[in-house]
Amino acid sequence: MVFSIFKKVFGGGKAAGRDKELPAVRETIGSGDDGAGSELSSRFENFERETKERLEAQSHEMPGQAYFSQLQALQDSISDRRYTDAATATRKSLPLIRKWLEDPMGNGKRFNLSMPALTQGGTMLAITGDRKGLVMLHDLVLEFDHLEEYRVDAEKHLVAINLFAAIRKVVAAKPGILQNKMKSEVGAEDGRLVSNLISWLVKAGEVTRAKNGKTYALYLDGVEMSGRDASAVYTEPPRPVSHQARSKPGKPIELNLEKLTLVPLPPSPKAWTSQCTLPTTSEAFEDTKGAWRELIVEPIAPADRPDSAFRKHFTTHGGVLSFDDLAKSEASLGAPGAVMFTSEHGGTPMIERLERPIYALNVHPRGQGFATRSKTNILTVYGADLKVDFETDLSTTPEVAAGRRRLDLGGEGGILWGEPHLALNCIALSPSRDRYVYTHVDEAWCIDRDGKLLWGVRMPERPVETYHQTLKGGGMGGPTGTAVAIKEALGELELALPVTPDQIRQKYRDLVRELHPDLNPGNEERMKTVNASYETLTGVSYNDLQRKENAEDLLTFSATVTFMTGGGPDRLQAAAFSGLGDTVLLGTSQGRVLRIDGSGKPIALYDVGTAPIRILETDRYLYIQTFTRLYVLEGESLVGLQDCTTKCDLLVEEGLILLIENKGVRVLSEAGRPLGIALTKAPIRRAWIEGGVLMVETRTHRGRFTSLMG
């Protein structure tokens, strides 16, 4: 039982990454033919048995099943907005935490677990007025040094219970009071805390907010609003039915990676140890590399300043789509947001209100219109006129129902894959809006606009992997380096971009024959450098590569690990239609990117090492963006590679790539060659290409970067 709870908490998602005190377990994992697969299964079963025995022997280092049951109840109750039940689960958790920490068998050793009962749970106690429960929580974290990191939160919860009561009292006495006045009304020092608590009251249904200028008017639930405020409150329309008429689920194609040729790319780090940032400037705008012939800076008249509410920008056919997804613009009054289309030919932008809140968004660079998915899993497709084309309820499809049963999302599987809006992760719209793709955990389904199922695919299960990443091989944590390091590695192999994996392999073989110490003594150090360069470029050593024959082998080859888990869905993290719309690209949590043809057959497999966050393809180039890197491919050739930060927007237009950060824009050629960098002193509100000119706007100024010299 302890082992099953351990798997629920550490078996997937972010929870696994928190633990830093896992018992050291070493095991070798193999793959290959059926015999090897049986051996793998047997070894993993032995590993599970040994680990279960070890964990049961060390059960005092974990809170135990009773605590985890309350943790599940707490999270479910918060998700369903049953805050009284959430407070009850928190109350029940506190003595279980105390019992765990008082257990003398622990001998001071405790797993370093995240404790939602002491963070979100404290908020639940505060919003329900459970002062006694908050005192219990406060005393608990003060008593045990293991909980020291929660002491600041405990103090805030004691403040919050009084603020909740004060906010309710003020809103009752002054219906329509503006939220930006509440800090002074309740005598608080922290305005952010007051806003956060108001948000909780809104979620609880106690308070209703109506947008009023740059703030909100507040009313207790059921109190009559002014006409102006009432018109500014959004009410979501009734749910549409699914436009799929089938009652039986389609059968997905079980993807077989053994029949695919793997295109291994230099692995992308999950994060940079030192942030890959642009330099700063004290000038309003700066051409830091001298890349443009002319830089013109001009003030923007107050009436013409860009509305920062439209914060997400996408290049599309004939112009740029910009989205106010947080409903902060005047255009979104009474709506969950707004969209603006700015034509490449100039003129007044076209603005329309959105039908439903945006939880997921997809814009095809060669299409007209766009698709959104709400948190309630309604797919809404908008046309070129920015009005609703059609809608459908994705959560009621027979495929989703079958997937929920298969993955046990109503039971133990739910803690791994989350709520329905998290399991339905990606949407993609074809350029002609005649088809769309949606994903459900590890499956992707392609549907036409009339609800006809065209195809479905299911990813193969994840290979056995390790949390501490000593496993090396396609997408499993091999060597990574910066773009500079990759350029140097190519140089060591006497290569340069563009380059294909076959060229890298062949050059390596040639150098091995030339430099191997058995044939030419004295080249030992050079041979080590060449070996290291090869691993940097492919994420797999030459010896491992020679023993494998197909893509699946490369993704599951043998390794010695410190702690591992195996199997389970390889979650789909990104989806996009190709530049022409004839194929679909799917990106997974393991860093695989598959190209799927019109019948659902996989025809290509790329490996970038970590999950892609965006995939985009033009007629000629494929762009794969992770949290740390942008890859540019032409066919199987890697033609460009650029390191980037976690928060980096990607635009591709007029034959140029823009990587837009908070205070800078990196400009690349369509093939990914660096051309120049534009820096700003103030945060960027908008950046785009207009007639070959890079236009960059802050709140008060516009910079025109003209005539690239490269």
Side-chain angles (χ1 to χ4, degrees):
M1 184 64 71
V2 172
F3 184 62
S4 67
I5 291 295
F6 184 89
K7 286 201 297 183
K8 284 178 68 176
V9 177
F10 296 105
K14 295 182 180 179
R18 296 192 195 101
D19 179 54
K20 295 182 174 64
E21 301 179 29
L22 292 171
V25 179
R26 302 183 66 83
E27 181 71 21
T28 301
I29 308 176
S31 65
D33 55 22
D34 293 339
S38 299
E39 181 182 359
L40 168 62
S41 175
S42 175
R43 286 181 175 179
F44 189 66
E45 288 173 0
N46 290 337
F47 169 75
E48 277 197 318
R49 176 180 50 76
E50 293 168 2
T51 303
K52 178 179 179 180
E53 292 172 356
R54 185 186 297 260
L55 291 174
E56 287 177 343
Q58 297 175 328
S59 60
H60 46 267
E61 296 182 17
M62 292 188 294
Q65 181 181 346
Y67 166 78
F68 289 115
S69 296
Q70 293 304 324
L71 170 61
Q72 183 72 55
L74 169 64
Q75 294 175 329
D76 289 345
S77 298
I78 292 176
S79 176
D80 296 338
R81 301 187 178 183
R82 294 180 285 107
Y83 296 159
T84 299
D85 293 343
T88 299
T90 301
R91 269 277 208 134
K92 292 180 178 179
S93 297
L94 298 179
L96 298 173
I97 296 172
R98 176 179 292 278
K99 181 180 178 182
W100 166 49
L101 294 174
E102 288 178 342
D103 186 351
M105 293 181 63
N107 194 27
K109 295 180 180 179
R110 311 289 176 192
F111 276 114
N112 184 24
L113 305 177
S114 174
M115 291 282 179
L118 306 179
T119 52
Q120 291 174 299
T123 302
M124 297 298 97
L125 294 172
I127 198 171
T128 56
D130 189 346
R131 193 174 300 275
K132 185 176 180 180
L134 283 180
V135 172
M136 290 172 57
L137 187 155
H138 186 264
D139 291 345
L140 179 67
V141 301
L142 287 183
E143 183 176 346
F144 295 96
D145 290 341
H146 189 79
L147 304 177
E148 181 179 5
E149 64 182 287
Y150 297 102
R151 290 173 184 172
V152 173
D153 288 321
E155 296 291 341
K156 287 184 177 179
H157 296 323
L158 289 174
V159 173
I161 192 171
N162 295 325
L163 284 177
F164 273 127
I167 291 168
R168 293 182 180 107
K169 184 176 180 180
V170 171
V171 176
K174 300 180 179 181
I177 186 172
L178 298 181
Q179 182 169 313
N180 60 7
K181 305 292 185 184
M182 288 298 297
K183 176 183 173 181
S184 58
E185 287 282 346
V186 299
E189 296 181 359
D190 188 345
R192 288 177 179 266
L193 176 59
V194 173
S195 296
N196 180 261
L197 298 183
I198 291 172
S199 295
W200 279 109
L201 291 171
V202 172
K203 293 176 185 177
E206 292 188 49
V207 170
T208 301
R209 288 195 294 196
K211 187 168 180 58
N212 191 308
K214 295 185 179 299
T215 185
Y216 297 92
L218 306 177
Y219 295 84
L220 287 185
D221 184 51
V223 173
E224 186 177 355
M225 293 183 171
S226 69
R228 183 197 182 284
D229 288 340
S231 67
V233 175
Y234 167 70
T235 302
E236 186 163 353
R239 296 181 69 90
V241 298
S242 171
H243 68 172
Q244 297 188 49
R246 295 170 295 103
S247 58
K248 292 185 178 180
K251 186 175 181 180
I253 297 172
E254 299 275 356
L255 297 183
N256 184 356
L257 301 184
E258 292 183 0
K259 297 181 179 180
L260 291 175
T261 299
L262 177 70
V263 181
L265 300 169
S268 173
K270 291 185 177 179
W272 295 113
T273 52
S274 57
Q275 189 61 276
C276 175
T277 56
L278 293 174
T280 59
T281 180
S282 59
E283 303 293 330
F285 295 89
E286 182 182 352
D287 173 10
T288 182
K289 299 288 187 181
W292 284 271
R293 288 191 173 86
E294 185 178 35
L295 168 57
I296 300 173
V297 179
E298 55 191 24
I300 305 175
D304 298 329
R305 289 176 182 174
D307 188 343
S308 60
F310 290 88
R311 65 191 190 113
K312 294 185 176 181
H313 309 280
F314 298 85
T315 305
T316 186
H317 182 74
V320 175
L321 283 170
S322 303
F323 293 87
D324 166 23
D325 59 320
L326 300 179
K328 291 189 173 182
S329 66
E330 287 297 320
S332 67
L333 278 177
V339 57
M340 174 172 61
F341 178 74
T342 306
S343 173
E344 63 184 12
H345 304 298
T348 303
M350 178 168 54
I351 300 177
E352 292 288 346
R353 304 196 308 175
L354 295 172
E355 183 76 4
R356 298 180 190 274
I358 294 178
Y359 185 77
L361 173 65
N362 181 259
V363 178
H364 195 285
R366 293 291 182 266
Q368 292 182 310
F370 58 95
T372 69
R373 177 172 65 85
S374 67
K375 195 172 182 179
T376 56
N377 289 323
I378 304 301
L379 175 75
T380 306
V381 175
Y382 297 79
D385 59 358
L386 309 185
K387 298 183 184 299
V388 175
D389 189 355
F390 67 91
E391 286 193 308
T392 184
D393 187 348
L394 296 179
S395 64
T396 59
T397 69
E399 290 74 33
V400 167
R404 290 187 61 81
R405 291 191 296 271
R406 174 176 63 92
L407 297 170
D408 188 25
L409 294 191
E412 288 193 3
I415 198 170
L416 299 180
W417 308 112
E419 302 169 55
H421 69 279
L422 298 175
L424 280 158
N425 200 34
C426 310
I427 55 171
L429 183 66
S430 69
S432 59
R433 303 196 310 280
D434 63 332
R435 291 159 291 149
Y436 65 89
V437 164
Y438 73 95
T439 68
H440 185 249
V441 186
D442 58 341
E443 294 180 342
W445 300 93
C446 187
I447 314 293
D448 74 9
R449 63 177 295 117
D450 297 320
K452 178 183 177 182
L453 173 63
L454 301 179
W455 53 261
V457 298
R458 181 184 298 160
M459 292 299 302
E461 286 199 346
R462 294 177 300 165
V464 175
E465 59 181 327
T466 171
Y467 294 130
H468 295 299
Q469 296 204 342
T470 57
L471 201 62
K472 297 180 180 180
M476 295 302 297
T480 60
T482 64
V484 172
I486 288 166
K487 183 178 180 180
E488 291 173 350
L490 285 170
E492 288 291 344
L493 298 188
E494 302 169 8
L495 295 169
L497 296 178
V499 67
T500 66
D502 285 342
Q503 290 170 333
I504 293 173
R505 292 191 192 100
Q506 186 57 54
K507 189 62 179 180
Y508 180 79
R509 293 188 183 104
D510 292 344
L511 288 172
V512 167
R513 284 192 290 267
E514 177 185 336
L515 300 172
H516 199 284
D518 291 344
L519 301 176
N520 294 293
N523 292 310
E524 288 83 0
E525 293 305 314
R526 170 77 170 127
M527 192 67 246
K528 290 179 182 178
T529 303
V530 168
N531 285 337
S533 298
Y534 185 82
E535 290 193 52
T536 297
L537 294 171
T538 64
V540 57
S541 73
Y542 177 74
N543 289 336
D544 286 314
L545 183 65
Q546 294 309 293
R547 291 199 298 267
K548 309 303 171 185
E549 298 180 353
N550 55 54
E552 181 66 12
D553 286 344
L554 282 170
L555 290 161
T556 57
F557 70 81
S558 301
T560 300
V561 302
T562 54
F563 184 83
M564 65 185 182
T565 185
D570 187 3
R571 184 175 187 144
L572 289 165
Q573 299 284 81
F577 278 87
S578 65
L580 299 176
D582 54 341
T583 64
V584 170
L585 293 142
L586 300 173
T588 81
S589 59
Q590 296 295 297
R592 310 173 186 182
V593 177
L594 290 101
R595 186 182 296 278
I596 309 293
D597 72 10
S599 66
K601 177 183 177 182
I603 54 178
L605 173 62
Y606 309 91
D607 181 25
V608 296
T610 56
I613 58 173
R614 190 175 180 200
I615 302 171
L616 185 152
E617 189 173 49
T618 62
D619 296 344
R620 183 174 179 182
Y621 296 105
L622 170 62
Y623 303 94
I624 302 173
Q625 185 182 11
T626 70
F627 281 119
T628 57
R629 182 164 285 161
L630 174 69
Y631 299 83
V632 185
L633 293 108
E634 184 177 15
E636 292 189 358
S637 291
L638 177 66
V639 297
L641 182 145
Q642 183 76 19
D643 296 337
C644 57
T645 62
T646 300
K647 295 182 178 180
C648 184
D649 290 332
L650 169 67
L651 282 182
V652 180
E653 58 177 324
E654 294 192 20
L656 294 173
I657 302 171
L658 303 185
L659 291 175
I660 306 168
E661 301 183 28
N662 184 39
K663 295 183 180 181
V665 179
R666 274 179 277 189
V667 182
L668 316 175
S669 71
E670 194 176 15
R673 180 172 62 89
L675 299 177
I677 297 175
L679 299 179
T680 64
K681 181 180 179 181
I684 294 172
R685 294 292 177 87
R686 186 170 55 161
W688 73 101
I689 300 293
E690 186 176 289
V693 177
L694 171 63
M695 310 286 288
V696 182
E697 290 182 343
T698 64
R699 186 178 67 86
T700 59
H701 288 78
R702 178 184 297 114
R704 298 176 183 267
F705 295 78
T706 306
S707 300
L708 271 165
M709 298 180 43

